[in-house]
Every structure is written in C-alpha cells, then in structure tokens.
Amino acid sequence: MPDRAGKSIFAHKQTYSRKGNSKSRSVREIADEAERLEGACPHVENPQSPTILEGIRPSEVVAVIEQRITEQNRLLRQLRKEQPDRKDALRGIRSDTHVMIGSVFSFPDLVEDMDEADYLRWRRDVIAFARADAARNGAEVLSIVEHLDEAHPHVHVLAVPICADDNMRIDAKRCHEGHREQDRHMDHGWSGSPSRSYKQAMRGWQDRYHAEVGAKHGQARTGPRRRRLDRTAWKAEQERLQAQKEAEIAILRAAEARRLADEEERRRDAVMQDTVARRLQEAEAVHAIATGGLIAAIRQVDPDPVLIERLETPGQMGSWTSHDADRNREMSLALAPVLSDGLEALRQPPAGPGLLGGLSGFLRGIAGWVNRLAGASPRWLKWPETVAYAAHGARQAFDTTYTASTLAGVIEASPAWQSFTGEAKTRLDQARAVQALTNSRGSRPDASSQRGI
C-alpha cells in the first residue's frame, strides 16, 4: 500500500457566469470539461467519460440553469412593474451574473498507486462535505462527477444558488465565502485590497475542509516548505496525521462491524418472528379443526355427500339383533375384519409430517374405511344397522361407558381423535407462549440503541 505521508489537501471552489471572461471560463465550458466532451479538455491526454456519482450530467446542469434564469427573469419583470421603487434590486439576471459554483477536490495519491479502500472512504467524506457546504451557503448540488483520467483522481461538484428573498437574482457570489467577504470589505471601506479578505475567507474554507475531510485521511493542510517546517517537525506532523487517520479507520470499521451485527440480528429476528407466526397460524388452524368436529374436518378432505350422510346416520340396533343365526353369522363374517381394521387404526394417534399432515392422512383413511364398511355390508343389512354394529364394537374395543349414535361419534370418541384434539390444544398453547416471548423480546431496545445509552 502506498505511503501517503507528506501529502497535503487540494480543494478549490469558484463561481462562474454564462458569459465567462478572460479571467474565468463560462458555465458551459466548465460543464463540458467536467463531462469530458470533445474538445473541452485539451489538458487531458486521453479523456475518459466521467462517473456520475450523484445527480445529473454536467451538461444537464447548464440546461437547468438556463431554465431557471428564464423563469426568474419573467418573475423579476413582473415584480419591477409591481414595485417600481425596487427596480435596482429586481433587475434581471445578465449573462455575466455568476450563477454556478464549481468545486474540485483531488486525492493526493496517483491513480495507479492509490489504495481503493482509502480512496472510497475519502470520496464518501468529500461528497458529504460538498453537500453540507452547499447547504450552509444557500446552494443546491446538482451534479457530482469523478475523473480518473488524470494523474490524481478527483471529484467535481457543480452547485447552483437556491432562489430566495435575499437572492432573487440567483447570484452565485452570494453563496461563496470569498466573494461575500470581499463585498463586505468594500461595503465597510476597510483598508487594504478586497482580495485579501477573499483569500482569507477561502483559507478558512480550506481549513474547514482539512478538519472535516483531509486530516481524517492523513492529509496535511499545506506542505512543509510553505510553512518552513524542518524535517523533524514535518515528520512529527505526518505521524500525528497518520495516527488520526488510523483512528478514523478503526472507528469506521467498528461502526461497520456493529452495523453488520445489528443487521444480522434483525435478520434472525425476522426469520424467527416469521417462523413463530407461521407455526401459530398452523396451530390455530389445527385447533379450529379439532374443536369443529369430525364432519367439518372431513368436508375439507372429501366433501362427498354420500360419505357425510353415512357418518351422520344414527345407528339402529333393534333390527340386526333379531336376525336369525345364519344372517348374524354372515354379517359378522362380512363386517368383523373391516371393523377390526378400522378400530385398530382408531387406536393410534394420527401420523404424518406435522400434526396437520397427519390429520389429513387420518381423515383420508377414515373415508376409505367407511366406504369399505358400506361395501362389505350384506345387501339385506340396512346402513343404520351397520352403524349400530360398528358402534357396539367400538364401545367394547375402547372400553367406553356409552355407545355412540353415529359413526362420526364413534370416531370422535376414539383414542386417535382424542389424541389429536389434545395435541392440538397443547400445540396452540405452546405457539401462543412462544409468540408472547417473541413479542416481549421485540419490545426491548435493540442492541444499537442500548450501545448509545
């Protein structure tokens, strides 16, 4: 990594008019050079298109200026008619009125030698400084571009005055420290050249740039020869600036580490909250099915009206108990195997991927079993008699104290359904408890705010 010890700042700010003169280029010339238009930058050996860091292209800045001047001159003409006593203050904006502020900030390392991370940190601080500087001077930044086609990387900032009651003619000199102090010098009739006040104000501007940007990046305010520093004093200053730079980098890295940690914590919290909400929603859906009863649940899996009717038909025991021995034997041989299979399944809790998945499989199995029971019944046996036969078998198998009146009742009284409803209640209670804990955790101050206390 290149050593930047011994490097000093370069920052310049100037105002421009649309007309230009022998001492200052025009707004168009400055914008064309910043945009690297053909013929606008003969001092650059191999011009490259700039990078637009913020805002619009420099050539578009010229168009914005022209549009604003046209609109403002129209307003000023109207105001001169309405307020003839203020004609001088409301005179139009001329072509030689300075209407743009241009600033340039240069990085001290050569393009081919610069450390990219150092440069990007410096560039970020330059942009922040330029925006704050424009705001404090009543101006608006319209374009920030970067040039890497000269020896040193540099950033151009183009700003325009904000039209206000104290700057109706959008005069850029009112937004420039040097021109303001120069005008103040002349207004007060101070001795000496007004340019002295201009230079002093701009030295103050560069001091501020050095304090807010340059020093943070190990850059000296001026070189050693200009201040006639000996080698020892210059070396001591560079060591101090380097230490300040390293401290600033350490602060930035610590802040970035905190930001990443906070971001990761927020991401984990979001995932956790999403998972908790999803599980609560599933638990509420399962509990609603459990409390709604078998018929409501079976309608979601197999809404066959014949199946629903078979489940809801009350049993009638009187008929099949009065059949002769042959028919009873036929009935038992036909129904017992199917009934036994069904009752065995009703002893086991629903199994599957998750409680809801297990219930879906269980309900499909119930539908199949009821249809098998209907298919196995002898032709002479009525369905209410089959229901009564199954209910009687379930009472014996499950050792209950009552006989259910329908197949739906048989199933709801079974260990399988009771296990499902109990588990559904437990899962809902757990999901609500977890959500309560999550909500209480979310109501606490986050890590970043606690660090600020």
Side-chain angles (χ1 to χ4, degrees), residues 161-314:
I162 297 173
C163 183
D165 290 342
D166 61 347
N167 195 4
M168 296 288 287
R169 300 180 65 247
I170 53 177
D171 185 353
K173 289 185 176 182
R174 290 176 175 266
C175 306
H176 186 278
E177 295 89 335
H179 285 294
R180 286 201 303 267
E181 282 303 303
Q182 185 171 265
D183 290 345
R184 207 155 72 94
H185 185 113
M186 291 185 291
D187 290 344
H188 286 75
W190 293 338
S191 62
S193 171
S195 63
R196 184 179 65 184
S197 293
Y198 179 98
K199 292 176 182 178
Q200 184 174 350
M202 295 316 294
R203 279 195 295 270
W205 178 77
Q206 289 188 326
D207 287 342
R208 187 160 55 83
Y209 168 74
H210 175 254
E212 296 181 19
V213 180
K216 292 167 58 176
H217 297 274
Q219 301 170 20
R221 171 64 178 84
T222 57
R225 292 182 180 178
R226 190 167 185 177
R227 289 180 290 159
R228 298 180 180 177
L229 296 179
D230 60 27
R231 183 177 181 82
T232 301
W234 176 246
K235 184 178 179 181
E237 179 175 318
Q238 294 310 301
E239 289 175 351
R240 178 183 59 78
L241 288 171
Q242 184 65 19
Q244 182 175 346
K245 172 197 163 186
E246 291 172 357
E248 290 288 344
I249 292 174
I251 291 171
L252 288 173
R253 286 175 176 168
E256 178 66 7
R258 286 196 300 271
R259 185 190 68 79
L260 292 174
D262 291 343
E263 187 177 285
E264 177 62 18
E265 184 175 355
R266 286 192 295 271
R267 186 194 66 79
R268 289 198 304 266
D269 285 347
V271 170
M272 179 180 65
Q273 290 172 2
D274 181 66
T275 302
V276 168
R278 189 172 61 252
R279 289 180 178 173
L280 177 60
Q281 186 178 17
E282 180 181 332
E284 289 173 338
V286 171
H287 187 259
I289 292 172
T291 55
L294 176 71
I295 297 302
I298 205 79
R299 287 183 194 277
Q300 299 183 32
V301 177
D302 189 352
D304 179 9
V306 174
L307 173 64
I308 301 300
E309 183 182 2
R310 287 171 177 168
L311 286 166
E312 292 184 317
T313 299

Side-chain angles (χ1 to χ4, degrees), residues 310 370-378 383:
R310 287 171 177 168
V370 172
N371 290 331
R372 282 176 58 208
L373 202 60
S377 297
W383 179 248

